[in-house]
Amino acid sequence: MHIHFLGTAAFEGIPSLFCECRTCAQARERGGRNIRSRTSVLIDGELKVDFPPDTFYHSLQYGITLNAIKDLLITHAHSDHLYAEDMVIRAAGYAQYGGQPIHVYAHDLPIRLSTHALIGEKHDYRFHRVLPFEPMQTQTATIVPLLAAHDPQETCLLYLIEKDGKTVLYGNDSGWFPEQTWRYLNDVKLDAAILECTVGRSSHRSSHMNIDAVLETKAWMTEHTVLKPNAPVIVTHFSHNAHLLHEELVEIFQPNGIQVAYDGLIVTI
Ligand SMILES: [Zn+2]
Ligand SMILES: [Zn+2]
Ligand SMILES: [Zn+2]
């Protein structure tokens, strides 16, 4: 399984569009791994998680064939994870292609926003409503949505993705996991865990994970043998408001055996 990190930033991107903070200024100056677009991963070119506003940029940057995507999993409706207006660009009159339908898996609000944006359009998305802890077979994988603790306004989801004999936890935006999610994970064996570390050294962990929450999650997964031997733990979804450059994140996480994602990273498991 090839996990391609297309984007690794939270809502604002890094450098953030209008921001002149020290971190954004340094990111503009240094470039490279300090430039982060909004978060998404593409697995084996055919299963994508989330549809951020940087999807157009990702298609250019990595030469991605977006029509090769068979399954699109949406974690929640925040605009850095679902930019529904751009889904319309695949509708009749905006795109010519000979591909297959894209199957979209999400809870209520992302489906409502997407179908609202597509009202009156002729399109071939197929929407599937998923429920927490209920496995579903997609075109490319078996997925199990898990509950996140991110935004009380909607049911935000993490995904367990089992594909070609490998199981990955896609864990953002998660916050500190709800009890049911810990219980479910207790019986799972992971080949990789992708966690968010949006808020850095902040003490806040109720809707986003901070550094300590990531370290404790890895320790818990190790203690409960949830992680298979040598299974990578990868952090992503960083905010400029955490004021940590890529190099600083690596200094924090590398000694703890955690990989810091950057735009363009491909992890093979
Ligand atoms: Zn987000
Ligand atoms: Zn900034
Ligand atoms: Zn969010």
Side-chain angles (χ1 to χ4, degrees), residues 242-257:
H243 299 300
L244 291 167
L245 293 170
H246 181 76
E247 300 78 40
E248 294 168 309
L249 287 162
V250 171
E251 270 172 39
I252 293 165
F253 283 113
Q254 204 169 43
N256 292 286

Side-chain angles (χ1 to χ4, degrees), residues 51-265:
F51 194 84
D54 292 325
T55 304
F56 172 62
Y57 163 75
H58 294 158
S59 75
L60 294 175
Q61 183 73 4
Y62 310 116
I64 293 168
T65 306
L66 289 173
N67 282 320
I69 296 167
K70 295 176 180 165
D71 296 321
L72 174 62
L73 317 185
I74 304 293
T75 55
H76 62 300
H78 289 169
S79 69
D80 54 326
H81 299 264
L82 174 65
Y83 191 67
E85 286 77 2
D86 272 4
M87 289 178 71
V88 178
I89 299 173
R90 196 175 194 257
Y94 305 105
Q96 293 90 49
Y97 60 91
Q100 299 295 311
I102 293 180
H103 291 253
V104 182
Y105 302 82
H107 202 267
D108 293 341
L109 189 54
I111 291 181
R112 207 181 316 146
L113 293 177
S114 307
T115 50
H116 185 264
L118 288 159
I119 285 175
E121 305 290 352
K122 191 169 173 296
H123 67 85
D124 65 354
Y125 293 107
R126 304 281 187 275
F127 290 96
H128 305 267
R129 181 174 183 259
V130 299
L131 290 170
F133 309 109
E134 291 198 7
M136 188 178 278
Q137 182 66 46
T138 74
Q139 307 301 294
T140 61
T142 304
I143 59 168
V144 187
L146 305 180
L147 268 183
H150 179 51
D151 181 351
Q153 304 295 319
E154 63 164 317
T155 301
C156 300
L157 300 173
L158 319 176
Y159 285 100
L160 275 175
I161 300 167
E162 189 187 335
K163 185 175 190 291
D164 304 329
K166 304 280 184 183
T167 304
V168 177
L169 171 66
Y170 187 82
N172 80 77
D173 292 342
S174 68
W176 184 249
F177 301 154
E179 195 50 45
Q180 296 144 283
T181 294
W182 289 113
R183 268 205 303 276
Y184 195 96
L185 284 172
N186 202 24
D187 298 325
V188 169
K189 299 287 177 226
L190 293 176
D191 294 282
I194 300 168
L195 303 173
E196 62 144 326
C197 187
T198 309
V199 295
R201 292 194 177 97
S202 155
S203 59
H204 174 97
R205 59 159 73 179
S206 57
S207 60
H208 278 301
M209 282 208 185
N210 60 12
I211 292 165
D212 288 344
V214 169
L215 298 180
E216 286 170 39
T217 300
K218 190 198 172 197
W220 181 90
M221 286 179 169
T222 306
E223 187 191 330
H224 291 78
T225 58
V226 169
L227 289 169
K228 288 186 188 172
N230 303 318
V233 176
I234 306 144
V235 278
T236 184
H237 195 276
F238 303 104
S239 170
H240 66 122
N241 286 326
H243 299 300
L244 291 167
L245 293 170
H246 181 76
E247 300 78 40
E248 294 168 309
L249 287 162
V250 171
E251 270 172 39
I252 293 165
F253 283 113
Q254 204 169 43
N256 292 286
I258 295 173
Q259 197 171 350
V260 178
Y262 54 85
D263 286 23
L265 170 70

Side-chain angles (χ1 to χ4, degrees), residues 15-16 19-25 240-241 243:
S16 176
C19 188
E20 296 175 14
C21 81
R22 177 180 50 84
T23 306
C24 288
H240 66 122
N241 286 326
H243 299 300

